[in-house]
Amino acid sequence: MIVATTTRGFFGRRKERDPRLPPGQYDVGSGWPVLTAEATPRLDADRWSITVDGLVDTPTTWTLRELRALPPSVYAGDIHCVTTWSKLDTNFTGVSVDTLLDAAGVRPEARFVVEHSTTGYTTNLPIDDVRGGKAWIVWEHEGKPLSREHGGPVRMIVPHLYFWKSAKWIERITLLDHDEPGFWEVNGYHERGDPWREQRFDGD
């Protein structure tokens, strides 16, 4: 009787998992899937503006031209979607959310922010997740204008959290003293969405 055997090297060396990938995520490579909770709007960049309001000393609105005149900031790193894809080594150009909050003057009682899209979409975050160089308002991706499908002319990115926390077509950031769940949060998604803790759904 012949007994078939295999050696460890027969199937080749197992590919090492990229340490930049959170649990349950895969590298999408050069792609960038288009996912959205609502219809993609067609916005006029010359008429677009963003407002910071709520618990601030001076509610302030910027046009895109005024926004681009602020000190620029670049995010270079990875982004992660709750649907399990990650895009590594990507970059965005825009302005730090810190710059906008500092200009408006955040009141001491502010604890949370709500991002508002022109479509009516909202998502909520503790203020600590957008302060300290953790969030950006961006208009370029990989040196090119941000496409409409990916939130152009301007979107917010909060790359250390799942990307539903990065509102496309953003028009307002409101500061509150209480938590106010957004679109996906009231539909069963996690309140915070940390990829490294796999905080996908309520209770994770």
Side-chain angles (χ1 to χ4, degrees):
M1 180 175 72
I2 300 175
V3 178
T5 61
T6 59
T7 65
R8 181 179 299 177
F10 185 81
F11 294 106
R13 179 175 293 179
R14 180 178 297 176
K15 186 177 180 180
E16 293 291 332
R17 179 176 173 80
D18 195 310
R20 295 171 295 176
L21 288 173
Q25 298 290 114
Y26 73 93
D27 180 2
V28 76
S30 61
W32 186 4
V34 176
L35 301 169
T36 184
E38 62 276 287
T40 299
R42 189 176 295 278
L43 304 178
D44 184 345
D46 291 333
R47 296 184 178 182
W48 174 90
S49 65
I50 186 169
T51 298
V52 174
D53 61 9
L55 294 175
V56 296
D57 296 328
T58 309
T60 306
T61 299
W62 294 264
T63 65
L64 182 54
R65 178 175 294 182
E66 291 168 338
L67 205 68
R68 293 177 71 109
L70 297 174
S73 183
V74 174
Y75 169 73
D78 313 324
I79 57 176
H80 311 287
C81 181
V82 70
T83 60
T84 73
W85 61 261
S86 292
K87 186 170 179 61
L88 306 178
D89 288 331
T90 192
N91 68 77
F92 295 87
T93 300
V95 61
S96 171
V97 170
D98 289 314
T99 300
L100 305 188
L101 298 186
D102 290 344
V106 178
R107 295 184 183 175
E109 62 269 31
R111 294 289 181 270
F112 295 89
V113 300
V114 178
E115 304 167 38
H116 299 263
S117 169
T118 58
T119 61
Y121 175 89
T122 62
T123 189
N124 58 307
L125 285 169
I127 193 170
D128 287 346
D129 276 316
V130 301
R131 290 292 251 167
K134 297 176 184 174
W136 292 259
I137 302 297
V138 301
W139 50 82
E140 285 186 3
H141 175 246
E142 305 289 358
K144 298 179 180 179
L146 190 64
S147 71
R148 188 165 63 95
E149 292 76 13
H150 287 299
V154 180
R155 74 175 295 161
M156 186 158 169
I157 63 165
V158 190
H160 68 286
L161 300 178
Y162 285 127
F163 229 46
W164 91 80
K165 293 291 187 177
S166 299
K168 297 179 179 181
W169 314 299
I170 192 166
E171 67 173 7
R172 184 158 55 98
I173 300 173
T174 300
L175 283 78
L176 304 172
D177 61 1
H178 62 279
D179 199 7
E180 191 172 286
F183 177 86
W184 284 118
E185 292 80 16
V186 299
N187 283 286
Y189 277 41
H190 197 276
E191 280 292 302
R192 184 158 181 265
D194 184 340
W196 294 97
R197 297 182 179 181
E198 291 194 89
Q199 292 175 338
R200 302 177 192 275
F201 304 106
D202 188 23
D204 285 348

